[in-house]
Each structure stands twice: as structure tokens, then as C-alpha cells.
Amino acid sequence: MAGPRSLRDLPSVDRLVADERLADVPHELAVEAARVVLDRARAEIRSGGEPGELLEAVLEEVERTRRPSLRRVLNATGVLVHTNLGRAPLSRAALARVAEVGAGYSNLEYDLERGERGSRQDHLTNALRRLTGAEAALVVNNNAAAVLLALAAIAEGREVIVSRGELIEIGDGFRIPDVLARSGARLVEVGTTNRTRASDYEAAIGPETALLLRVHQSNFRVVGFTERPALAELAQVARAADIPLVDDLGSGALVPVGEEPTPAESLRAGAELVCFSGDKLLGGPQAGVIAGRAELVEKLRRHPLQRALRADKLTLAALEGTLALALDPETRGEIPILRMLEEPLEAVRARARRLAHAVGGEVEDTVARAGGGALPLAELPSAACAVEEKLAEPLRLGDPPVIGIVRDGRLLLDCRTLTDAEADEVARAVTAARAWS
Ligand SMILES: *Cc1c(COP(=O)(O)O)cnc(C)c1O
């Protein structure tokens, strides 16, 4: 049906929303959508264009308004912990815990045995102790908060010694020197960008020193003429001066993943506190875990910032569900991030072949990445289905959106970050995108 050609042909808002196809739409929403569509139609006519069928446009506008902004997407980038795509997908077990705890009341801060007030921080202590060997643990909103809380509680108004090679920016403006400043601690830099020795820390320790901070270099590597003391060596320096060594591990793989240091190793080497993320290689919800010596953890728990930074019940439920899977070697593979990391190349390639067969694409060998600042140099052999580059936009705008990688004039749909069922959805999305473009 042709649309109106002149401003005089445009219907009124009232007439437009009176159409029976809008009968089920709340009146205010229909009116708002009709206004948007009529405004657009006026602009279109003034610039000599043709606004098209108005009622269709109103229905589409209503649909667009109703659609949630935060949506599920299919990650065909091959980056496992993709910071822009929500990092770690949750396991079924973790989601079941969220549904169970979130749907009703819970013993979040209630001690069932004693019938009195309890602490939300107690629920995960056992699992974290078993996984890391720490005496005590605390969960906050994310790892940035964990580092901030540790520095504020132990070093406020005093000095923190950090190697110049570890004064990093993680991304989105999270810079270690800035976090340090916000915690109220003073930064003392030692060593150089490429070389720092244990003796550099030793020489910088004075009466004002509150702690030594070690930071995982996360998303970059300095190669060539480099030196960095082993953690155990640094722990010795700290112990001799009777100050704690705090290790910001970043990713915090609880089970060994490539060269990533585990919290257990770090604590065994002599770190008194470790901080790590819940949603990087651990494969759980966004959270920050602080684990280590009981007395220090207690100090953090009592700090006023703890109240502002603590994790909510849904996070704790998802993290508890994830840790339960991690504790049993039989169920670890149910954590999506670990499954994707460990899936044999042949299985990924078979998925890419099926996708290519379904959409008439080509299988191509690719390199997937852990992402999230973990294992920056690690290359995970992977396979993608290559299709026309021009599908990138319609796929991104489709439902569900599909995000791939454009390279050398083609769109690569990496199959390491897709499940079999998701690959089927991608196949349908490619078909729809071709019809659309
Ligand atoms: C990622 C990272 C952080 C920040 O963790 P979030 O969970 O994103 O807040 C801090 N330190 C290091 C070394 C990291 O890799």
C-alpha cells in the first residue's frame, strides 16, 4: 500500500492509533509511536521523499520500544571472555541457583542454625577455601572493587610499592595508579618498565610502607630484556619487612589454564591476599574475590567500603553454583568458558563445517583468544565459517544479533564461541540476513 505523498495527506495521531491492529497496544505507547512516525514522515515528505506505509511503521516502532535494550547476542568472534559481549556466559547450574534464590526469600543474612542474623559473606567461604587454600575469603562487586577495598583497608594514608612494569590500564580507563589514588594510598614506583628486581622493592621499603602490590600484566607482555622477581622471592622481601604482599591476579583461573597463575599457587608462593575476577577464566558472574589470611580478610570485611562494594544475592548464587562445578573435576566442563577453552579443534571444525554447509560458506582456520586480559599471547586453534562481508550489518541488527569478525573482505563466524544449538541459530540468521540485504 502506498503512503501519503503530501503533508496534507498525513492522518492525525488519533486516526492513526484508532486502527484495530493497534487495539492491543496501550494507548499511550501507541500515541507515542504514532508521533514519532508522523514526525519522521513529515521530514521525509519535506525532503521530497516518500514516507511509506504509516501503520506498519507505527507497529514497528511499538515493537522497537517494547524490545529490551539488554539482549542476548551470539558471539561468533572467537574471543571467549569478550568484555563488550558480557564476558563469561553462565552455566545452567549457576543460572538454576539464581532462579531459585532470586524467586523467593533466602537466608542471605540469616543464620538458620542459630536463628539470628548471619553474614552474606559466609556462604561462599568454604568453597573458596577449598579451591584456593586460603584461610578466608570475601566477595565484592568486581575485581576492581576487590583491589580498591584491599588497598583502602590496608594502606589508606600510607605507601604501596608497585613495579613500573605493572602500572597497567586494563581497559575502559581502569588504571592501577588511579585506583591506588582513590583508595587513599600513596604509590611508590620501583624498577623500570622492563626490569624490576626484588632488591628494588627492598630499597623502597620504609616506615610508611603498608604493602607490596603485585599486578598481573593482563592484556600485554613486555618481551626481550626483561626481569621480574618470582612471587616467592617478593614474598620473602615482604615477610622480612613484616608487611603483606597483595597479588592482583586479574583473571583468577581456579583450575590451571595455560600459564595463568592460579590463586592457590599465588597463596602458596607467599602472597597474603589475592584478588581475582568472577567472570573471566573462572566462568561465573561479575564479581571480585579476595582470598587469603583470615586476619587481613576480616580487616577488609569490617571496612566501611565493604558495605558499598559487596556482591548482591544473585551474584552470590551464581558464583556458588559456578564454584560447585569447579570443585568437581567431573563437572568442570559444564562451565561454558572452560568447555570452550578445552574443546578439541576437530569438534570446533566439525561445527564450522556444518554451519558452512547450511549457509553455503567456506570453512577457514582461525585463532581464538581467551580475552578479558587473560593469556594475551595464547592462541587457541579454531575454525570459522566465512560468508559475505556485507552480511555483518544485517546480522548485527538481526534477532538475535550475531557478531562476527570482518577480515580480508569477508565475515568470519568463529565456531569456538558458539554451541551447536547457537550455530544452528546463526545459520538461520544468515539466511534471514541475505533475504533482508
Ligand atoms: C580485569 C582485571 C582487573 C579488573 O577486574 P574487573 O573484574 O573487570 O573489575 C583488575 N586487575 C587485573 C590485573 C585485571 O586483569
Side-chain angles (χ1 to χ4, degrees):
M1 190 171 34
R5 314 240 152 154
S6 75
L7 291 175
R8 266 183 308 137
D9 292 341
L10 287 175
S12 67
V13 168
D14 284 345
R15 220 185 80 209
L16 202 47
V17 303
D19 192 286
E20 63 179 22
R21 281 199 282 165
L22 283 164
D24 292 341
V25 178
H27 186 67
E28 275 179 27
L29 177 57
V31 167
E32 207 177 293
R35 288 214 172 101
V36 170
V37 166
L38 285 171
D39 280 350
R40 218 160 43 209
R42 266 179 225 111
E44 192 72 28
I45 291 171
R46 282 199 195 98
S47 60
E50 147 76 48
E53 223 278 294
L54 295 181
L55 190 68
E56 279 304 321
V58 174
L59 287 165
E60 232 167 77
E61 183 62 25
V62 165
E63 194 57 38
R64 210 182 56 76
T65 314
R66 279 182 163 167
R67 195 159 55 202
S69 169
L70 183 58
R71 289 160 70 200
R72 164 178 181 257
V73 309
L74 298 173
N75 174 9
T77 66
V79 179
L80 275 57
V81 181
H82 198 302
T83 303
N84 302 143
L85 301 183
R87 289 198 182 167
L90 292 176
S91 62
R92 274 170 199 276
L95 288 168
R97 300 288 297 125
V98 172
E100 180 196 332
V101 170
Y105 295 101
S106 64
N107 63 339
L108 180 67
E109 295 190 346
Y110 188 70
D111 185 325
L112 292 170
E113 289 199 354
R114 296 191 187 166
E116 58 189 40
R117 193 195 158 95
S119 167
R120 70 174 63 209
Q121 293 291 1
D122 289 342
H123 299 294
L124 276 64
T125 304
N126 263 333
L128 285 168
R129 279 212 306 236
R130 282 168 67 197
L131 281 160
T132 65
E135 290 173 7
L138 195 68
V139 181
V140 289
N141 198 29
N142 54 24
N143 190 35
V147 176
L148 177 66
L149 179 59
L151 293 173
I154 305 172
E156 189 171 7
R158 297 172 66 209
E159 292 175 355
V160 171
I161 303 179
V162 191
S163 161
R164 290 199 167 87
E166 297 173 3
L167 291 173
I168 57 170
E169 173 173 320
I170 315 288
D172 204 21
F174 177 78
R175 293 178 163 183
I176 290 293
D178 297 340
V179 176
L180 243 153
R182 288 286 158 191
S183 75
R186 292 195 302 280
L187 170 64
V188 175
E189 302 175 26
V190 294
T192 60
T193 306
N194 56 330
R195 306 197 80 182
T196 304
R197 301 182 186 83
S199 57
D200 294 325
Y201 289 88
E202 224 161 11
I205 293 175
E208 283 294 289
T209 309
L211 63 87
L212 303 191
L213 178 65
R214 165 91 137 198
V215 186
H216 188 288
Q217 284 173 326
S218 288
N219 43 14
F220 77 106
R221 285 290 178 272
V222 179
V223 294
F225 188 54
T226 63
E227 185 175 345
R228 196 179 181 217
L231 195 68
E233 211 182 333
L234 209 53
Q236 249 169 20
V237 172
R239 211 172 304 120
D242 203 19
I243 51 174
L245 168 64
V246 176
D247 192 7
D248 172 15
L249 286 167
S251 205
L254 285 177
V255 295
V257 174
E259 305 268 277
E260 264 321 279
T262 66
E265 282 164 4
S266 176
L267 291 168
R268 264 202 308 276
E272 303 219 314
L273 279 186
V274 293
C275 307
F276 53 93
S277 278
D279 57 348
K280 289 183 180 172
L281 291 179
L282 174 47
Q286 178 191 301
V289 178
I290 306 157
R293 223 175 70 205
E295 172 206 331
L296 287 174
V297 171
E298 188 51 33
K299 199 166 178 177
L300 268 58
R301 188 199 281 240
R302 284 198 311 263
H303 192 277
L305 266 183
Q306 191 268 133
R307 172 63 205 251
L309 302 176
R310 67 187 189 179
D312 81 307
K313 62 183 178 184
L314 302 183
T315 300
L316 293 174
L319 191 55
E320 189 174 27
T322 308
L323 295 178
L325 293 179
L327 273 165
D328 183 352
E330 293 285 310
T331 55
R332 267 173 206 168
E334 292 173 32
I335 299 175
I337 288 289
L338 296 183
R339 177 177 46 71
M340 289 188 262
L341 269 174
E342 281 159 18
E343 186 169 41
L345 173 60
E346 225 7 83
V348 178
R349 208 179 263 142
R351 188 176 303 126
R353 263 199 302 269
R354 260 189 298 111
L355 179 54
H357 181 75
V359 303
E362 277 170 35
V363 176
E364 182 150 324
D365 286 339
T366 54
V367 172
R369 306 231 165 241
L375 308 167
L377 303 184
E379 301 190 333
L380 303 165
S382 188
C385 162
V387 294
E388 315 86 277
E389 178 182 352
K390 68 172 199 305
L391 294 181
E393 185 178 323
L395 280 173
R396 180 161 44 81
L397 298 176
D399 188 23
V402 178
I403 317 292
I405 299 260
V406 170
R407 187 174 303 146
D408 300 331
R410 289 187 308 165
L411 178 67
L412 298 180
L413 302 167
D414 199 299
C415 286
R416 189 171 281 281
T417 43
L418 297 170
T419 62
D420 285 338
E422 286 171 344
D424 292 343
E425 284 185 274
V426 170
R428 287 193 290 276
V430 168
T431 308
R434 282 202 183 116
W436 198 73
S437 61

